[in-house]
Amino acid sequence: MNKILKLTLILFLVCAITAGVLGVVNEITYQRIEEQQRIKTERAYAAVLASDGYEEVPFDQEAFPTVDLINRCTNGAGYVVTTTFSGAQGSITMAVGVDNDYKCTGISIIKHSETSGLGANAASSSEKGVNWRAQFVGEDENVAITKMGGKIDALAGATITSRSVANATGVAIRAVESLG
Amino acid sequence: MLTNIISISLGAILINNFIFSQFLGCCPFLGCSSKVDTATGMGLAVVFVMGLASAICWVIDQFILVPLGLEFLQTLAFILVIASLVQFVEMFLKKSVPSLYSALGIYLPLITTNCAVLGVVLLNVQNDYNFIESVVYGITGGLGFMLAIVLFASVRERVAFSDYPECFEGFPICLVSAGLLALAFMGFSGMQIFA
Amino acid sequence: MNIKKQFTEGLITNNPVLVQLIGMCATMAITTTLFNGVGMGLSVLIILTCCNVVVSAIRKIIPNEIRLAIFVVIIAGFVTIVDLLLQAYIPALSDALGVFIPLIVVNCIIIGRAEAFCQKNTVGASFFDGIFQGLGYTLVLIVMCVFRELLGSGRFGGGLIDIVNGFRFTLDGTGSGIQIFPEDFGASILTLPFGGFITLGLLIAIMQYALKKSAKKKEAAAKAEKEAEEVC
């Protein structure tokens, strides 16, 4: 019994030291990680609808469960919506720019875990030399891929990703419309 | 809710099969697949451990790590949970269900280093699954693994009798056959769920 | 155990992926661009070296019964440190590799080396073992990446090399790489899971062929020597 106690103590000690070291590293990197995430979100916002500042506006969370938050552009250009929805592999987080005529001004994918080479192309800057996300500019709430009767060409081999991105864009525009 | 669960299950078993599209758990997949019997045993053990690990890790994450702001300890905590879980399951089975123990026993220690188990727990966190979704994802992910390893074992039993260049002996020919299976599984990626 | 021997063992004759056949999940999963491959390889190299040093340093004071548990804790610690540092300083890499960074914990290379090598060897030897085994792993990843990326999308050095604004290395993964031939001619299937399995299969086959050939050569040389002796 003494032996077991000793082993447990040693294991506990090792765990405690490791956890302590990790705590220190976390303390050091924490702010930078937050900062990086903020920069990434900011870049995504600027890419879809440029503004000198953004302020959060309340919306009906019940009606739009996939919408995380809606930001009004302080320069009056429109709104930027952050939305999280499920793609083909896991969840996708995306920023959607919506102008005052409820038209999409662009989309930008912040986080995803889609298949590299297929669905991941939705987030890459160019797929076979074409920016796939550019198709979304000017679309309204009825945006859909060609297979569903819309105008967006789906990514090759990634119909599910393309469809969920198109659907989420439509939902984001509708969420802005609901603000009135 | 139900549609969500069905789509998670179908996704984990067929569309995003752990082995063929996410490459999680390749080591035991290649190591324990020379016979259909051993493959089935390994598969069952993985389903069991993955389901349990998903449940326990979800509870630990939601009730201990997140409230205390210790998310950075997730990897450490999860691997310790999995390792001790495997130990407990082994002891429990040995005492109370010896028949199951004799069937699964030798595979259990191997599961600790199976990246599918740690992978499923980390993906549960990444995808913000709730308790039920996590458990469903764990079990169906394990079923997907089992499907893959059993299919692959039956292929390997046949490959053993075929002619191939000498330098492909052993692992290379397995990897090539696995690649062809992955190609077949790619057919599921176009599948639409509740379109 | 001299350094030169360790070098050839790590890189070729006892290469972790091609000969020991361990740590294959990540090898097949992330080798789609050079950026991923180099990033993953270097992360593993750093973690492996650190773990090797720590494990061999405390090898005499850890009780045998719980050594595996302690190894796992140490490895998980280093992996989390690297994970946090990547998130803070190279977020693009952290995004690209995703769940495969924390999964280094269960990468058999690291626990395998701790168990097979560092338990019995000095800190110095373990340090070099970590470096060379890590280099061997990185080398395989790079070969896989170059092969899959070139034939899959006609590119070289995606994410890592940028030639649009003059030749430079991009550490944020934004470089578009060097387009060797148009992407349309690439067999994009190679960048999919299928390509991962096939490429690794071919690489191991080539390795087995080479090792067998050199073994035969040695055998023949030994035989010739023996015959010469007999003639004398």
Side-chain angles (χ1 to χ4, degrees):
Chain A
M1 202 58 211
N2 218 347
K3 174 122 184 146
I4 294 180
L5 210 68
K6 195 184 150 202
L7 291 184
T8 322
L9 201 71
I10 293 179
L11 195 56
F12 178 76
L13 215 68
V14 173
C15 289
I17 294 173
T18 318
V21 172
L22 289 184
V24 173
V25 176
N26 184 55
E27 203 56 44
I28 299 169
T29 53
Y30 180 70
Q31 280 191 328
R32 239 197 111 92
I33 294 175
E34 294 266 287
E35 173 84 7
Q36 294 282 8
Q37 241 132 32
R38 201 178 51 78
I39 293 174
K40 211 156 82 180
T41 316
E42 251 172 31
R43 265 199 210 134
Y45 280 12
V48 294
L49 191 56
S51 169
D52 36 14
Y54 303 94
E55 53 174 10
E56 218 178 311
V57 289
F59 67 99
D60 185 2
Q61 207 119 41
E62 299 269 302
F64 303 100
T66 56
V67 175
D68 300 330
L69 46 101
I70 301 181
N71 288 297
R72 179 189 285 123
C73 296
T74 42
N75 65 0
Y79 299 86
V80 176
V81 182
T82 315
T83 157
T84 303
F85 52 98
S86 34
Q89 295 266 12
S91 58
I92 301 177
T93 304
M94 182 171 84
V96 182
V98 183
D99 66 15
N100 295 320
D101 301 325
Y102 305 122
K103 290 266 164 35
C104 178
T105 60
I107 58 170
S108 178
I109 289 170
I110 300 171
K111 203 181 113 202
H112 76 94
S113 47
E114 299 305 286
T115 323
S116 147
L118 293 176
N121 284 336
S124 68
S125 51
S126 78
E127 201 254 336
K128 302 222 190 282
V130 185
N131 185 343
W132 179 73
R133 294 186 306 280
Q135 294 182 70
F136 285 84
V137 177
E139 288 285 329
D140 60 9
E141 59 167 48
N142 296 318
V143 56
I145 55 172
T146 44
K147 220 181 225 171
M148 315 290 285
K151 279 184 284 187
I152 306 287
D153 284 322
L155 285 161
T159 316
I160 296 180
T161 310
S162 313
R163 198 187 54 221
S164 18
V165 169
N167 285 350
T169 309
V171 171
I173 297 172
R174 246 167 269 146
V176 171
E177 281 172 2
S178 78
L179 295 173
Chain B
M1 189 65 201
L2 190 66
T3 52
N4 202 6
I5 283 174
I6 295 176
S7 84
I8 288 179
S9 319
L10 276 179
I13 298 178
L14 297 176
I15 305 170
N16 293 315
N17 187 287
F18 264 62
I19 305 268
F20 294 131
S21 91
Q22 311 204 43
F23 292 111
L24 293 173
C26 288
C27 291
F29 171 71
L30 293 163
C32 286
S33 56
S34 47
K35 285 211 181 74
V36 174
D37 297 349
T38 44
T40 320
M42 183 73 193
L44 279 174
V46 167
V47 175
F48 193 59
V49 173
M50 269 170 77
L52 264 180
S54 298
I56 295 176
C57 289
W58 188 87
V59 171
I60 288 186
D61 189 49
Q62 291 297 314
F63 292 109
I64 300 178
L65 296 181
V66 173
L68 293 179
L70 294 174
E71 284 99 334
F72 63 94
L73 286 181
Q74 270 163 353
T75 316
L76 184 63
F78 291 167
I79 188 73
L80 285 177
V81 167
I82 292 169
S84 33
L85 178 73
V86 169
Q87 283 286 322
F88 276 123
V89 168
E90 200 180 346
M91 288 192 292
F92 174 76
L93 286 185
K94 206 171 181 177
K95 282 240 168 73
S96 49
V97 204
S99 59
L100 193 61
Y101 176 75
S102 59
L104 300 185
I106 49 167
Y107 307 110
L108 283 171
L110 288 175
I111 291 179
T112 314
T113 52
N114 183 339
C115 52
V117 182
L118 185 60
V120 83
V121 206
L122 290 169
L123 286 175
N124 281 337
V125 174
Q126 215 176 62
N127 291 343
D128 291 327
Y129 283 155
N130 63 28
F131 183 74
I132 297 173
E133 287 170 336
S134 297
V135 176
V136 168
Y137 192 54
I139 293 176
T140 51
L143 284 175
F145 177 86
M146 188 171 158
L147 174 71
I149 196 170
V150 172
L151 274 178
F152 185 55
S154 13
V155 170
R156 268 182 81 171
E157 282 187 354
R158 279 161 189 74
V159 167
F161 296 109
S162 1
D163 271 337
Y164 43 80
E166 195 191 355
C167 59
F168 274 87
E169 180 82 43
F171 264 65
I173 193 71
C174 295
L175 284 170
V176 173
S177 340
L180 292 174
L181 264 177
L183 196 60
F185 264 76
M186 247 183 76
F188 290 116
S189 72
M191 205 159 96
Q192 298 201 357
I193 313 169
F194 308 113
Chain C
M1 185 69 77
N2 56 26
I3 291 177
K4 205 176 155 197
K5 193 173 163 223
Q6 279 187 313
F7 180 76
T8 33
E9 273 200 351
L11 257 64
I12 306 161
T13 50
N14 200 19
N15 185 293
V17 181
L18 298 184
V19 181
Q20 298 175 49
L21 306 170
I22 50 179
M24 287 184 296
C25 304
T27 312
M28 294 189 279
I30 53 96
T31 48
T32 45
T33 64
L34 196 60
F35 180 64
N36 290 0
V38 173
M40 185 73 182
L42 292 183
S43 311
V44 169
L45 190 148
I46 291 167
I47 295 169
L48 183 59
T49 313
C50 293
C51 288
N52 272 5
V53 168
V54 172
V55 166
S56 64
I58 60 167
R59 70 185 188 281
K60 284 184 182 136
I61 53 168
I62 45 175
N64 202 31
E65 295 91 335
I66 50 165
R67 61 171 201 282
L68 281 179
I70 291 182
F71 292 168
V72 167
V73 173
I74 293 172
I75 296 169
F78 280 116
V79 169
T80 312
I81 292 176
V82 168
D83 189 12
L84 289 174
L85 289 177
L86 284 182
Q87 278 181 39
Y89 296 98
I90 322 181
L93 188 62
S94 168
D95 284 349
L97 299 179
V99 80
F100 283 96
I101 289 281
L103 280 180
I104 297 177
V105 176
V106 283
N107 191 322
C108 320
I109 291 177
I110 297 169
I111 200 153
R113 289 323 282 177
E115 176 79 4
F117 192 89
C118 309
Q119 271 207 87
K120 305 169 200 127
N121 287 287
T122 57
V123 176
S126 306
F127 174 75
F128 284 112
D129 184 70
I131 300 248
F132 295 143
Q133 292 280 335
L135 275 181
Y137 183 68
T138 313
L139 194 71
V140 174
L141 289 188
I142 291 177
V143 171
M144 297 256 311
C145 291
V146 168
F147 182 83
R148 287 177 72 183
E149 205 185 353
L150 182 65
L151 295 187
S153 51
R155 254 202 310 272
F156 173 77
L160 196 63
I161 299 171
D162 181 34
I163 49 167
V164 179
N165 310 313
F167 186 88
R168 67 192 173 98
F169 289 104
T170 45
L171 290 178
D172 53 357
T174 50
S176 51
I178 303 167
Q179 198 76 37
I180 311 267
F181 58 83
E183 198 169 343
D184 286 338
F185 296 139
S188 59
I189 188 124
L190 274 176
T191 56
L192 301 179
F194 166 79
F197 282 108
I198 295 284
T199 315
L200 188 60
L202 284 178
L203 263 184
I204 297 178
I206 293 170
M207 192 70 190
Q208 286 190 357
Y209 180 75
L211 283 181
K212 225 169 240 172
K213 211 167 179 187
S214 79
K216 257 186 202 156
K217 224 184 202 168
K218 263 187 204 150
E219 218 171 75
K223 212 175 168 188
E225 216 170 82
K226 215 175 168 190
E227 273 168 8
E229 267 174 26
E230 272 168 12
V231 170
C232 293

